[in-house]
Amino acid sequence: MGGCDGDGNVDQAGFGKPMPWIGVYIAAASLACAIAMAADTAAGFRYRQLWFPSRYFALNAMSLSVITVAVKLSVDLNTPMPRREEQLAKLSSSVLICTVMGNSMPSLGSMKNKELLSNVIALAILVITSFVNICIQLGSGAIFDFVMEHAFVMFLMLLLLVTLSFSSMMVPTSKRYLDIKYYEMHEPTLKDSLSRSCDDVFNKLKEDLLKYGMMAHSCNPQFIVARSVTCTASGALCLLSAVTLAQAMLRSYLASWTFKFDYCHGESDYQWSSMAILITQTIARRGNKSYKDEFKPEKYWIQQFIEIKERPFNLHIRSRRCRKLIHDSKNVVLDMLIRIQVGIVLGSKAVRLISILFMSPILLFCDLCSDLRKKFSPPEGSASKPDFSQYILHLEGEEELVHVMMRNKCDTIERWIEMGKNNQPKHLVQLLEETDPRGFPGVMDFDSDAVPPLDSAEPPNNWTLPIATLTSIAVAIPDIDPSARKRLLRGVREALMYVNIVEERLCAKQELMNARKAASIVFMGVDLFHKWLDVDLRKISLQVNTTKDVLEELACTAKDVFVKFKAVPTHGHLMESTSAWPVNVRAAHSMYRISETLLLDCESSDRDMSKRLFEKLSRMISDIIAACLTNLEHAIFIECSRSGIEGRTEKAWSAAILLGRTAEVMEILSQRELPCLGSDQLASIDEWRAMTSVP
């Protein structure tokens, strides 16, 4: 029988052969955890934040699965592991669990309530399972060395689990409180921004960004948890567990060298892979920062328990005694949980205070060096920075953090703006500078009312589709310098990045969705393959004799696409609403109208027609782009001010980069005179055309 030897007994000879490769799998999972935590640490240093964000190593289903694989050694009950490296690897697995809990704690802030509950429960199951398995191994003798270290790390493991679990209870309350404060500050900030008239749009937007950046950063859900006293204490406990592992490793190696101490003889099934596990798990360590605070628990720590306590039980039980017993039991349990929460907070404050006492000489030395550097460095000629401390949103007991957060966040926003300035769209700037800066005539000229309509219903215009269609025609014009075509394509490619941002923020109407899709498809075909839909523009340019022939060919092709689609009986319901037109039909309609408009002013006998038409198309494209990008100020303001609490910091950063990248563009556009339209009307190209057509 398979699996048995000649005597009928189970043949176990091959059972341990895959174990080294399982060890490699464990080492790979540990390395993945280490890389993710190192990436978070690097991001914190790169952006000069006061904390290490949980971007790559957050508490979720995927990370918990990887952690479960990484700590397999600590739950392996019966595999013999007699060597020093293998006993240390078991200890390092326990320390890794502690490190994971400390490092992933800020990610609690970015979770919804149900997600928060499920992830904390899943982590608790993993930690308790590991704890029980380690206890079994200590009792069975599978773990025979570093017993005191294991006991101490297990205590830290449970303490970290309790701290993390109770810290999650303050997340909904603190997020709700700071979200209310954000909207209370948002209204006066918005009114102040709208009331200020300033010729320097860039500096006005920069000031608004600094304000909203302060508000967004200070109410960042991950930062709320990261600056809490329990997270600070968790960092200290993680560091303590890492020190415990370090002293165990040092003691074991020194003992073997000094006293010729020998471990048990024998070979583990994991063989050489246990050393790889030990190395990868040892490098996955880091801590958090600390700040001084008053030695008392703030109300938001227990607010969630108080709300649950005040909420009545809706139980359909007839017996009054049973209802009263359940109600009293609930209050007793919640009172106990409140006392535990208060104890955890006070204990965390004590740990933080001890950490500060140990770190105070280093901090004082750093402050002294900073003061000396300021004293001997030449004075800066720039004016002092404005005080935006009123825009720092903070919880009870965080008053001393305000000036630290303000200084850090001001510098961060300005760095993002400078980063954007170093990556400005030079081809777009060149396209805008080459055209006439007086007004925006191309917005009106690209589509004439003299062109007969293809259908009784005319779809609304958007910004991107006319730009893509005009660029397609420009590529098809014969006898044009290839370098001029290339410059135009580069400028339009850069412009569409910002035009799309304006449309996404300010023109997100359902009726324009197909037009935007058509524009992206048309320009991708022109940019990559020099094709409009399936029409080869280069082939048309070479086959026809004159520029007028090119326009007639494009208009005829576009009309055929539209008419053929309309002629199909089953497409009748789609033609009833212009928003339901397919992408190719929408693109064909735009090509037909623009080509026919250009034909109204086209003479076949004019030899310089190609050059003049290309210049005219470039001017139209530039004018439409310029008219659209006059909405950048509004789009940037919307980008940084309107988002959920979880995404506000990223929105503020992206708005700062966008402001830096478009600084020169806004400087060019500030020289043009805008029509007398409101901000909502300026975002619509049809409103521009309606205003321009009024005599």
Side-chain angles (χ1 to χ4, degrees), residues 189-241:
T189 306
L190 177 61
K191 290 179 181 178
D192 177 64
S193 177
L194 295 176
S195 63
R196 282 185 292 118
S197 58
C198 181
D199 294 333
D200 192 346
V201 177
F202 178 82
N203 285 327
K204 178 177 178 290
L205 275 175
K206 182 179 178 180
E207 184 176 334
D208 291 336
L209 269 177
L210 287 171
K211 294 176 182 177
Y212 277 100
M214 296 289 182
M215 294 162 60
H217 179 67
S218 56
C219 69
N220 185 323
Q222 286 202 17
F223 188 33
I224 295 171
V225 179
R227 69 188 190 231
S228 67
V229 63
T230 52
C231 192
T232 304
S234 298
L237 296 178
C238 289
L239 181 61
L240 196 57
S241 67

Coordinates of all heavy atoms in Angstrom, one line a residue, residues 189-241:
T189 N -13.1 79.7 5.7 CA -12.0 79.7 4.8 C -12.4 79.9 3.3 O -11.7 80.7 2.6 CB -11.2 78.4 4.9 OG1 -10.9 78.2 6.3 CG2 -9.9 78.4 4.1
L190 N -13.5 79.3 2.9 CA -14.0 79.4 1.6 C -14.4 80.8 1.3 O -14.1 81.4 0.3 CB -15.1 78.4 1.3 CG -15.8 78.5 0.0 CD1 -14.8 78.2 -1.1 CD2 -17.0 77.5 -0.1
K191 N -15.2 81.4 2.3 CA -15.6 82.8 2.1 C -14.5 83.8 2.1 O -14.5 84.7 1.3 CB -16.6 83.1 3.3 CG -17.9 82.4 3.2 CD -18.8 82.8 4.4 CE -20.1 82.1 4.4 NZ -21.0 82.4 5.6
D192 N -13.5 83.5 2.9 CA -12.3 84.4 2.9 C -11.6 84.3 1.5 O -11.1 85.3 1.0 CB -11.3 84.0 4.0 CG -10.1 84.8 4.0 OD1 -10.2 86.1 4.2 OD2 -9.0 84.3 3.8
S193 N -11.5 83.1 1.0 CA -10.8 83.0 -0.3 C -11.5 83.6 -1.4 O -11.0 84.3 -2.3 CB -10.6 81.5 -0.6 OG -10.0 81.3 -1.9
L194 N -12.9 83.5 -1.4 CA -13.7 84.1 -2.5 C -13.7 85.7 -2.4 O -13.9 86.4 -3.4 CB -15.1 83.6 -2.4 CG -15.2 82.1 -2.8 CD1 -16.7 81.6 -2.6 CD2 -14.7 81.8 -4.2
S195 N -13.6 86.2 -1.1 CA -13.7 87.6 -0.9 C -12.4 88.3 -1.3 O -12.4 89.5 -1.5 CB -14.1 87.9 0.5 OG -13.1 87.5 1.4
R196 N -11.3 87.6 -1.3 CA -10.0 88.2 -1.6 C -9.8 88.3 -3.1 O -9.8 87.3 -3.8 CB -8.9 87.4 -0.9 CG -8.7 87.6 0.5 CD -7.5 86.9 1.1 NE -7.6 85.4 1.0 CZ -6.8 84.6 0.3 NH1 -5.9 85.1 -0.4 NH2 -7.0 83.3 0.3
S197 N -9.7 89.5 -3.6 CA -9.3 89.8 -5.0 C -7.8 90.0 -5.1 O -7.3 90.9 -4.4 CB -10.1 90.9 -5.5 OG -9.8 92.1 -4.8
C198 N -7.2 89.2 -5.9 CA -5.7 89.3 -5.9 C -5.3 89.1 -7.4 O -5.7 88.2 -8.0 CB -5.1 88.3 -5.0 SG -3.3 88.3 -5.0
D199 N -4.4 90.0 -7.9 CA -3.9 89.8 -9.2 C -2.9 88.7 -9.3 O -2.8 88.0 -10.4 CB -3.2 91.1 -9.7 CG -4.2 92.3 -9.8 OD1 -5.4 92.0 -10.0 OD2 -3.8 93.4 -9.6
D200 N -2.2 88.4 -8.2 CA -1.3 87.3 -8.2 C -2.0 86.0 -7.8 O -2.1 85.6 -6.7 CB -0.1 87.6 -7.2 CG 1.0 86.6 -7.4 OD1 0.9 85.6 -8.1 OD2 2.1 86.9 -6.8
V201 N -2.5 85.3 -8.9 CA -3.3 84.1 -8.6 C -2.5 83.0 -7.9 O -2.9 82.3 -7.1 CB -3.9 83.6 -9.9 CG1 -4.6 82.3 -9.7 CG2 -4.8 84.6 -10.6
F202 N -1.2 82.9 -8.3 CA -0.3 81.8 -7.8 C -0.2 82.0 -6.3 O -0.4 81.0 -5.5 CB 1.0 81.9 -8.5 CG 2.0 80.9 -7.9 CD1 2.0 79.6 -8.4 CD2 2.9 81.2 -7.0 CE1 2.9 78.6 -7.9 CE2 3.8 80.3 -6.5 CZ 3.8 79.0 -6.9
N203 N 0.1 83.2 -5.8 CA 0.3 83.4 -4.4 C -1.0 83.2 -3.6 O -1.0 82.7 -2.4 CB 1.0 84.7 -4.1 CG 2.4 84.7 -4.4 OD1 3.1 83.7 -4.3 ND2 2.9 85.9 -4.9
K204 N -2.1 83.6 -4.2 CA -3.4 83.5 -3.5 C -3.7 82.0 -3.4 O -4.1 81.5 -2.3 CB -4.5 84.1 -4.4 CG -5.9 84.0 -3.8 CD -6.9 84.8 -4.7 CE -8.3 84.6 -4.2 NZ -8.8 83.2 -4.4
L205 N -3.5 81.2 -4.4 CA -3.7 79.8 -4.4 C -2.8 79.1 -3.4 O -3.1 78.2 -2.7 CB -3.6 79.1 -5.7 CG -4.8 79.2 -6.6 CD1 -4.5 78.6 -8.0 CD2 -6.0 78.4 -6.0
K206 N -1.5 79.6 -3.4 CA -0.5 79.0 -2.4 C -1.0 79.2 -1.0 O -0.9 78.3 -0.2 CB 0.8 79.6 -2.7 CG 1.9 79.1 -1.8 CD 3.3 79.7 -2.1 CE 4.4 79.2 -1.2 NZ 5.7 79.9 -1.5
E207 N -1.5 80.4 -0.7 CA -2.0 80.6 0.7 C -3.2 79.8 1.0 O -3.2 79.2 2.1 CB -2.3 82.1 0.8 CG -2.7 82.5 2.2 CD -3.0 84.0 2.3 OE1 -2.4 84.8 1.6 OE2 -3.8 84.4 3.2
D208 N -4.1 79.6 0.1 CA -5.2 78.7 0.3 C -4.8 77.3 0.5 O -5.3 76.5 1.3 CB -6.2 78.8 -0.9 CG -6.9 80.1 -1.0 OD1 -7.0 80.8 0.0 OD2 -7.3 80.5 -2.1
L209 N -3.8 76.9 -0.3 CA -3.3 75.5 -0.2 C -2.6 75.3 1.2 O -2.8 74.2 1.8 CB -2.2 75.2 -1.3 CG -2.8 74.6 -2.5 CD1 -1.7 74.4 -3.6 CD2 -3.4 73.2 -2.3
L210 N -1.9 76.3 1.7 CA -1.3 76.1 3.0 C -2.4 76.0 4.1 O -2.2 75.2 5.0 CB -0.4 77.4 3.3 CG 0.9 77.4 2.5 CD1 1.6 78.8 2.8 CD2 1.8 76.3 3.0
K211 N -3.4 76.7 4.0 CA -4.5 76.6 5.0 C -5.2 75.2 4.9 O -5.3 74.6 5.9 CB -5.6 77.7 4.7 CG -5.1 79.1 4.9 CD -6.2 80.1 4.6 CE -5.7 81.5 4.7 NZ -6.7 82.5 4.3
Y212 N -5.6 74.8 3.7 CA -6.2 73.5 3.6 C -5.3 72.4 3.8 O -5.7 71.3 4.3 CB -6.9 73.4 2.2 CG -8.2 74.1 2.2 CD1 -8.4 75.3 1.6 CD2 -9.4 73.4 2.7 CE1 -9.6 75.9 1.5 CE2 -10.6 74.0 2.7 CZ -10.7 75.3 2.1 OH -12.0 75.9 2.0
G213 N -4.0 72.6 3.5 CA -3.0 71.6 3.8 C -2.9 71.3 5.3 O -2.7 70.2 5.8
M214 N -2.9 72.4 6.1 CA -2.8 72.3 7.5 C -4.0 71.6 8.0 O -3.9 70.6 8.9 CB -2.9 73.7 8.2 CG -1.7 74.6 7.8 SD -0.2 74.0 8.7 CE 0.9 75.2 8.1
M215 N -5.2 71.9 7.6 CA -6.4 71.3 8.0 C -6.5 69.8 7.6 O -6.8 69.0 8.4 CB -7.7 72.0 7.4 CG -7.8 73.5 7.9 SD -8.9 74.5 6.9 CE -10.4 73.6 7.0
A216 N -6.1 69.5 6.4 CA -6.1 68.1 5.9 C -5.1 67.3 6.7 O -5.4 66.1 7.1 CB -5.8 68.1 4.4
H217 N -3.9 67.8 6.9 CA -2.9 67.0 7.5 C -3.2 66.7 9.0 O -3.0 65.6 9.5 CB -1.5 67.7 7.4 CG -0.4 66.9 8.0 ND1 0.1 65.7 7.6 CD2 0.4 67.2 9.1 CE1 1.1 65.3 8.4 NE2 1.2 66.2 9.3
S218 N -3.7 67.8 9.7 CA -3.9 67.6 11.1 C -5.1 66.7 11.4 O -5.2 66.2 12.5 CB -4.1 69.0 11.7 OG -5.2 69.7 11.1
C219 N -6.0 66.5 10.4 CA -7.1 65.6 10.7 C -7.0 64.3 9.8 O -7.9 63.6 9.6 CB -8.5 66.3 10.4 SG -8.8 66.6 8.6
N220 N -5.7 64.0 9.4 CA -5.5 62.8 8.7 C -5.7 61.6 9.6 O -5.1 61.6 10.7 CB -4.0 62.8 8.2 CG -3.6 61.5 7.4 OD1 -4.1 60.4 7.7 ND2 -2.8 61.7 6.4
P221 N -6.6 60.7 9.3 CA -6.9 59.6 10.3 C -5.7 58.8 10.7 O -5.7 58.4 11.9 CB -7.9 58.7 9.5 CG -8.5 59.6 8.4 CD -7.4 60.6 8.1
Q222 N -4.8 58.5 9.9 CA -3.6 57.8 10.3 C -2.8 58.6 11.3 O -2.2 58.1 12.2 CB -2.8 57.3 9.1 CG -3.4 56.2 8.3 CD -2.4 55.5 7.5 OE1 -1.2 55.5 7.7 NE2 -2.9 54.7 6.5
F223 N -2.7 59.9 11.0 CA -1.9 60.8 11.9 C -2.6 60.9 13.2 O -1.9 61.1 14.3 CB -1.7 62.2 11.2 CG -0.8 63.1 11.9 CD1 0.3 62.6 12.6 CD2 -1.0 64.4 11.9 CE1 1.2 63.4 13.3 CE2 -0.1 65.3 12.6 CZ 1.0 64.8 13.3
I224 N -3.9 60.9 13.3 CA -4.6 61.0 14.5 C -4.2 59.8 15.4 O -3.9 60.0 16.6 CB -6.2 60.9 14.3 CG1 -6.6 62.1 13.5 CG2 -6.9 60.8 15.6 CD1 -8.1 62.1 13.1
V225 N -4.1 58.6 14.9 CA -3.7 57.4 15.6 C -2.2 57.5 15.9 O -1.8 57.2 17.0 CB -4.1 56.1 14.9 CG1 -3.6 54.9 15.7 CG2 -5.6 56.1 14.6
A226 N -1.4 57.9 14.9 CA 0.0 57.9 15.1 C 0.5 58.8 16.2 O 1.5 58.5 16.8 CB 0.7 58.2 13.8
R227 N -0.2 59.9 16.4 CA 0.3 60.9 17.4 C -0.4 60.6 18.8 O -0.2 61.4 19.7 CB 0.0 62.3 17.0 CG -1.5 62.7 16.9 CD -1.7 64.0 16.3 NE -3.0 64.6 16.4 CZ -3.7 65.0 15.4 NH1 -3.2 65.0 14.1 NH2 -4.9 65.6 15.5
S228 N -1.2 59.6 18.8 CA -1.9 59.2 20.1 C -0.8 58.6 21.1 O 0.2 58.1 20.7 CB -3.0 58.2 19.9 OG -2.5 57.0 19.4
V229 N -1.2 58.7 22.3 CA -0.2 58.2 23.4 C -0.1 56.7 23.3 O 1.0 56.2 23.6 CB -0.7 58.7 24.8 CG1 -2.1 58.1 25.1 CG2 0.3 58.3 25.8
T230 N -1.2 56.0 22.9 CA -1.1 54.5 22.9 C -0.2 54.1 21.7 O 0.6 53.1 21.9 CB -2.5 53.9 22.7 OG1 -3.1 54.5 21.6 CG2 -3.3 54.1 23.9
C231 N -0.2 54.8 20.6 CA 0.7 54.4 19.5 C 2.2 54.7 19.9 O 3.0 53.9 19.5 CB 0.3 55.2 18.3 SG 1.1 54.6 16.7
T232 N 2.4 55.8 20.6 CA 3.7 56.1 21.1 C 4.2 55.0 22.0 O 5.4 54.5 21.9 CB 3.8 57.5 21.8 OG1 3.3 58.4 20.9 CG2 5.2 57.8 22.2
A233 N 3.4 54.6 22.9 CA 3.7 53.5 23.8 C 4.0 52.2 23.1 O 4.9 51.4 23.5 CB 2.7 53.4 24.9
S234 N 3.2 51.9 22.1 CA 3.4 50.7 21.3 C 4.7 50.7 20.6 O 5.4 49.7 20.5 CB 2.2 50.6 20.3 OG 1.0 50.5 20.9
G235 N 5.1 51.9 20.1 CA 6.5 52.0 19.5 C 7.6 51.6 20.5 O 8.5 50.9 20.2
A236 N 7.4 52.1 21.8 CA 8.4 51.8 22.8 C 8.4 50.3 23.1 O 9.4 49.7 23.4 CB 8.1 52.6 24.1
L237 N 7.2 49.7 23.2 CA 7.1 48.3 23.5 C 7.7 47.4 22.3 O 8.3 46.4 22.6 CB 5.6 47.9 23.7 CG 4.9 48.5 24.9 CD1 3.5 48.1 25.0 CD2 5.7 48.1 26.2
C238 N 7.5 47.9 21.1 CA 8.1 47.2 20.0 C 9.6 47.2 20.1 O 10.3 46.3 19.8 CB 7.7 47.8 18.6 SG 6.0 47.5 18.2
L239 N 10.1 48.4 20.4 CA 11.6 48.6 20.6 C 12.1 47.7 21.7 O 13.2 47.1 21.6 CB 11.9 50.0 20.9 CG 13.4 50.4 21.1 CD1 14.2 50.1 19.8 CD2 13.5 51.9 21.5
L240 N 11.3 47.5 22.8 CA 11.7 46.7 23.9 C 11.8 45.2 23.5 O 12.7 44.5 23.9 CB 10.7 46.9 25.0 CG 11.1 46.4 26.4 CD1 12.4 47.0 26.9 CD2 10.0 46.7 27.4
S241 N 10.8 44.8 22.6 CA 10.8 43.4 22.2 C 12.0 43.2 21.2 O 12.7 42.1 21.3 CB 9.5 43.1 21.4 OG 9.4 43.8 20.2

